[in-house]
Amino acid sequence: MASAIFTDCSSATKAVAMTSARLPPLSKLKDQQGAVISPRSISFRPNSRSYSLLNTVLYTTRAMASSASLSPVVMAEDSSAKIIDGKLTAKQIRDEIAIEISRMKESIGVVPGLAVILVGDRKDSATYVRNKKKACETVGIKSFEVSLPEDCSEQEVLTYISKFNDDPSVNGILVQLPLPSHMNEQNILNAVCIEKDVDGFHPLNIGRLAMRGRDPLFVPCTPKGCIELLHRYGVEIRGKRAVVIGRSNIVGMPAAMLLQREDATVTIIHSRTKNAEEITRQADIVIAAVGQANMVKGSWLKPGAVVIDVGINPVEDSSSPRGYRLVGDVCYEEACRVASAITPVPGGVGPMTIAMLLSNTLDSAKRVHNFK
Amino acid sequence: MASAIFTDCSSATKAVAMTSARLPPLSKLKDQQGAVISPRSISFRPNSRSYSLLNTVLYTTRAMASSASLSPVVMAEDSSAKIIDGKLTAKQIRDEIAIEISRMKESIGVVPGLAVILVGDRKDSATYVRNKKKACETVGIKSFEVSLPEDCSEQEVLTYISKFNDDPSVNGILVQLPLPSHMNEQNILNAVCIEKDVDGFHPLNIGRLAMRGRDPLFVPCTPKGCIELLHRYGVEIRGKRAVVIGRSNIVGMPAAMLLQREDATVTIIHSRTKNAEEITRQADIVIAAVGQANMVKGSWLKPGAVVIDVGINPVEDSSSPRGYRLVGDVCYEEACRVASAITPVPGGVGPMTIAMLLSNTLDSAKRVHNFK
């Protein structure tokens, strides 16, 4: 996915890079055309297979937390692009989660817990972990953090995982990636019990996500955030052509599965695809998750398409104090003239990822306590 | 999928209906244009992710079993359709498997074992089980069969599964579906240990199939058979547009995953797809697995496309002694004038399914005995 220095390989992929970027969010530039104030009109689809799955928390609390509402996207060819504001939506979701957690605490006296294991002293990883911890605090999730030295043994990590697996106050376990090279990542990730795999990367979760009639315990956070944005902006998915650019295990592949569960007709484009532009131009919904700055041009888009840009790529910018700025996989300025709606970078999918992590952790706690 | 009366819901879906049909195989009608005699030129792709997975057995024995060879398919627009002869290919694979089993028996003194559990007295199920048993015998796989009465308890079935799970001479376990309505199918299927899930339907297997860098223990038999036909007829998959029509857990979805693992650009078409014809017409490879007689017309196909027809549908035919004949999801006569290659129905994918079941059982035995 996105360039390494900005990639949080645990669930909160990219979110921090986005939130920590000092550049003004591009959405600010578009406020006049933008989203956000008018009443929402999400089209509920109670029969949709993924509905109950994705929205256990998110929609049940909707009525309670309507401080900010999102206007629906209309796929009209003549509209200029509406900004799909991930930052605002993530805030709204965090508020909803906080309300749910309060209700849970009052009703049954428990709060969800999230454990994060950090190995080594990578600065970016430390930042990601710090941000997750902070996000937990804002909604009332108890966070547990273990920091282990770079040269610790795989067994030590496994011991902590085992401890958290057994700890009923921990509902989600994240191992911050990348791990030191002397460790077997797959062994370690497989040790997290599936009931606490809030990243949703366990093959059993992915298998259930792929299969009709099955439901995963958790949906991976970034693709879940993409679909949640579509839902909250009232984008119809059923029967639409969707193109997912990128086939990673953490974004592209599960995003495609989610779209298909909602009855889109999905094509995944990847590095071996020969006519990516032509195929993308057929799509009503484009999710770009390939990690190449500005790869998707305006000419790639069908007029009126809805664009979810997961990429976050640093490009040189001498006018920035940092010497770079962050851009998506989609050429934003061009896309704005063609698409009906688009997520900015930063401020689009990024903030949603941590919000979905919190949502998964709450779901996990609700499930284990049978709290509705 | 295909109409119920012909559907074997266990791994050998449709195979028996095809082989038991009394109609002459349609491939006979096409012998002049047909496949089969000239030297094979499979394009080996050692780097393909699914290569080792799919072909552990099949390709290692290839040099030994070249009694019949298959000519490669050339995707030329001006050729009339070559028949992809599943019956012949399945025979060839069974021969290869038989050789491998002999080698295994001679080297380490063991033969693979396949257990089939049949509950109730459905005639079609009994036929499917009988055919599996017969197929096992032809290659030297030891078959174990348990027949339980319709009114037996779920616990009785689970007890047998547990017994077979523990029995080292059993390498694969099939529970013939459908089960009586008083049983929980998912409970029962989940009880089969994943190392013996030769059907490949366990969500953990499906998850691994979906994920890059992971390999399933078993690939579901019918989609595996589809891809094997493409391989054996030298159809290039990498970089090609592929359309899978149908998104069932047992055929469409895993077939799409397999194509994507081999670097095709895949679109799954389903009942909610609005412009199925137009999308299908873009495909170099079409796998039709939707269970609707003659749904895919010649006009749906790109000239030169390769068509794998998984459907098997009975249509009335007063000239047949049975009063019906079997047709695929693709209008065969029309497709023959447009496609570069096509599987007939019957005699295409059907016979491959049981061959793949045998292959999975052999793979399982090799794995447990670490036999290369």
Side-chain angles (χ1 to χ4, degrees):
Chain A
M1 302 318 308
S3 307
I5 60 163
F6 293 104
T7 301
D8 175 2
C9 299
S10 182
S11 68
T13 308
K14 299 169 200 73
V16 178
M18 286 188 172
T19 51
S20 65
R22 300 262 167 79
L23 295 166
L26 288 173
S27 60
K28 293 269 171 68
L29 304 174
K30 300 286 291 182
D31 265 359
Q32 294 85 338
Q33 302 164 22
V36 186
I37 314 299
S38 61
R40 291 172 53 210
S41 71
I42 303 289
S43 51
F44 280 83
R45 290 174 295 284
N47 292 328
S48 165
R49 286 180 181 277
S50 69
Y51 182 83
S52 60
L53 157 77
L54 276 170
N55 304 304
T56 317
V57 178
L58 304 174
Y59 289 121
T60 50
T61 58
R62 196 174 269 163
M64 291 180 276
S66 56
S67 58
S69 292
L70 312 170
S71 61
V73 168
V74 180
M75 287 187 205
E77 296 195 9
D78 59 350
S79 66
S80 55
K82 182 185 291 293
I83 307 305
I84 297 178
D85 188 334
K87 204 171 164 185
L88 178 80
T89 309
K91 164 79 170 61
Q92 185 172 335
I93 291 168
R94 285 197 306 272
D95 290 346
E96 294 167 10
I97 291 171
I99 291 170
E100 275 296 275
I101 290 175
S102 295
R103 190 171 70 86
M104 197 175 178
K105 192 175 177 182
E106 281 164 27
S107 300
I108 59 170
V110 295
V111 295
L114 176 68
V116 183
I117 298 173
L118 173 67
V119 187
D121 50 9
R122 285 176 64 116
K123 278 191 181 169
D124 55 348
S125 289
T127 307
Y128 297 143
V129 169
R130 196 166 54 245
N131 277 276
K132 285 168 190 166
K133 196 175 170 181
K134 201 171 135 192
C136 283
E137 282 165 11
T138 65
V139 296
I141 289 174
K142 189 173 177 189
S143 68
F144 301 80
E145 193 190 325
V146 173
S147 291
L148 295 168
E150 177 84 14
D151 61 354
C152 79
S153 70
E154 189 173 313
Q155 189 50 51
E156 281 178 87
V157 181
L158 291 172
T159 302
Y160 275 102
I161 291 176
S162 173
K163 178 176 159 289
F164 288 132
N165 279 342
D166 294 340
D167 184 345
S169 61
V170 172
N171 304 106
I173 302 171
L174 284 186
V175 181
Q176 184 64 42
L177 302 180
L179 287 163
S181 56
H182 66 281
M183 293 186 185
N184 183 323
E185 184 180 302
Q186 205 162 311
N187 277 355
I188 288 177
L189 294 182
N190 284 350
V192 175
C193 75
I194 188 166
E195 289 81 9
K196 301 189 180 186
D197 172 41
V198 285
D199 262 342
F201 295 154
H202 193 289
L204 194 53
N205 263 325
I206 297 294
R208 289 182 183 175
L209 184 62
M211 294 171 85
R212 303 190 80 190
R214 304 279 185 121
D215 287 323
L217 291 176
F218 303 101
V219 174
C221 300
T222 302
K224 183 175 177 178
C226 296
I227 303 301
E228 188 60 27
L229 284 175
L230 295 175
H231 285 169
R232 296 214 172 210
Y233 277 83
V235 176
E236 178 80 29
I237 299 175
R238 188 179 199 179
K240 299 294 179 190
R241 289 288 297 278
V243 159
V244 176
I245 309 177
R247 53 174 163 173
S248 70
N249 289 342
I250 59 170
V251 188
M253 177 267 289
M257 287 175 179
L258 286 169
L259 288 166
Q260 184 162 299
R261 285 176 84 93
E262 302 218 14
D263 292 332
T265 300
V266 186
T267 307
I268 298 184
I269 282 176
H270 50 75
S271 56
R272 303 292 174 192
T273 298
K274 281 179 183 157
N275 38 1
E277 177 173 349
E278 179 195 330
I279 299 168
T280 307
R281 202 158 41 230
Q282 296 171 9
D284 305 300
I285 297 166
V286 176
I287 296 184
V290 73
Q292 284 190 30
N294 297 322
M295 187 184 93
V296 178
K297 311 292 179 199
S299 63
W300 287 42
L301 299 172
K302 176 177 174 176
V306 174
V307 179
I308 305 290
D309 191 350
V310 184
I312 177 151
N313 312 285
V315 293
E316 279 189 27
D317 183 354
S318 56
S319 69
S320 159
R322 296 183 171 200
Y324 65 84
R325 62 191 166 91
L326 299 173
V327 301
D329 291 346
V330 179
C331 187
Y332 185 80
E333 299 303 330
E334 289 182 21
C336 277
R337 292 194 286 270
V338 188
S340 64
I342 185 168
T343 57
V345 175
V349 176
M352 292 294 288
T353 303
I354 285 188
M356 294 299 106
L357 175 65
L358 304 176
S359 159
N360 279 354
T361 306
L362 171 57
D363 277 353
S364 178
K366 283 183 157 188
R367 184 158 42 222
V368 77
H369 293 291
N370 197 24
F371 181 75
K372 309 284 181 195
Chain B
M1 305 313 310
S3 305
I5 59 162
F6 293 104
T7 301
D8 175 1
C9 299
S10 181
S11 68
T13 310
K14 301 171 195 73
V16 177
M18 287 189 173
T19 51
S20 67
R22 300 265 166 79
L23 296 165
L26 289 173
S27 59
K28 292 271 171 67
L29 305 173
K30 301 286 292 184
D31 265 359
Q32 293 88 338
Q33 302 163 20
V36 188
I37 315 296
S38 61
R40 291 173 53 210
S41 72
I42 303 289
S43 52
F44 280 83
R45 289 172 298 280
N47 292 327
S48 164
R49 287 180 181 273
S50 69
Y51 182 85
S52 61
L53 157 76
L54 276 171
N55 306 303
T56 318
V57 176
L58 304 174
Y59 289 121
T60 50
T61 58
R62 195 175 269 162
M64 291 180 277
S66 55
S67 58
S69 293
L70 314 171
S71 61
V73 169
V74 180
M75 286 188 207
E77 296 196 9
D78 59 350
S79 66
S80 56
K82 184 185 291 294
I83 307 306
I84 297 179
D85 188 334
K87 201 171 167 187
L88 179 80
T89 308
K91 165 77 170 62
Q92 186 172 335
I93 291 168
R94 286 198 305 273
D95 290 347
E96 293 166 11
I97 291 171
I99 291 170
E100 276 297 275
I101 289 175
S102 294
R103 189 171 70 84
M104 196 175 178
K105 191 175 178 183
E106 281 165 25
S107 301
I108 59 169
V110 296
V111 296
L114 176 68
V116 184
I117 298 173
L118 173 67
V119 186
D121 49 8
R122 284 176 65 115
K123 278 191 182 171
D124 55 348
S125 291
T127 307
Y128 297 144
V129 169
R130 196 165 55 243
N131 277 274
K132 285 168 191 168
K133 195 173 172 183
K134 200 170 138 193
C136 284
E137 282 165 10
T138 65
V139 297
I141 289 174
K142 190 173 177 188
S143 67
F144 302 79
E145 193 188 325
V146 172
S147 292
L148 296 169
E150 179 83 14
D151 61 354
C152 78
S153 70
E154 191 173 313
Q155 188 51 52
E156 281 179 87
V157 180
L158 291 172
T159 302
Y160 275 103
I161 291 176
S162 172
K163 177 176 160 288
F164 287 133
N165 279 341
D166 294 340
D167 184 345
S169 61
V170 171
N171 305 106
I173 303 170
L174 285 187
V175 181
Q176 184 65 42
L177 301 180
L179 287 163
S181 55
H182 66 281
M183 293 188 185
N184 183 324
E185 185 180 302
Q186 206 161 310
N187 276 354
I188 288 178
L189 294 182
N190 284 350
V192 175
C193 74
I194 188 167
E195 289 80 8
K196 301 187 179 185
D197 171 42
V198 286
D199 262 342
F201 295 154
H202 193 289
L204 193 54
N205 264 326
I206 297 294
R208 290 182 180 176
L209 185 62
M211 294 171 86
R212 303 191 80 191
R214 304 278 185 121
D215 288 323
L217 292 175
F218 302 102
V219 174
C221 300
T222 301
K224 183 175 176 177
C226 295
I227 304 299
E228 188 61 26
L229 284 175
L230 295 175
H231 285 170
R232 298 216 170 207
Y233 276 84
V235 177
E236 180 79 28
I237 299 175
R238 189 178 198 177
K240 299 294 179 190
R241 288 289 298 278
V243 159
V244 176
I245 309 177
R247 53 175 163 172
S248 69
N249 288 341
I250 59 170
V251 188
M253 178 268 289
M257 289 176 178
L258 286 169
L259 288 166
Q260 183 161 300
R261 286 177 82 93
E262 302 218 13
D263 291 332
T265 300
V266 186
T267 307
I268 298 183
I269 282 175
H270 49 76
S271 56
R272 303 293 175 190
T273 299
K274 281 180 183 157
N275 39 2
E277 176 173 351
E278 180 196 331
I279 299 169
T280 307
R281 203 158 39 230
Q282 297 172 7
D284 304 300
I285 297 166
V286 176
I287 296 185
V290 73
Q292 284 191 29
N294 297 322
M295 187 184 93
V296 179
K297 310 292 179 199
S299 63
W300 287 42
L301 300 172
K302 178 179 174 175
V306 174
V307 179
I308 305 291
D309 191 351
V310 184
I312 177 153
N313 313 285
V315 293
E316 279 189 28
D317 183 354
S318 57
S319 70
S320 158
R322 295 183 171 202
Y324 65 84
R325 62 192 166 90
L326 299 174
V327 301
D329 291 345
V330 179
C331 187
Y332 186 81
E333 299 303 328
E334 289 182 22
C336 278
R337 292 193 287 270
V338 187
S340 64
I342 187 168
T343 57
V345 175
V349 176
M352 292 295 287
T353 303
I354 285 189
M356 294 299 104
L357 174 65
L358 304 176
S359 161
N360 279 354
T361 306
L362 171 57
D363 277 355
S364 178
K366 282 183 156 186
R367 185 158 42 224
V368 76
H369 294 292
N370 197 23
F371 181 75
K372 308 283 179 193

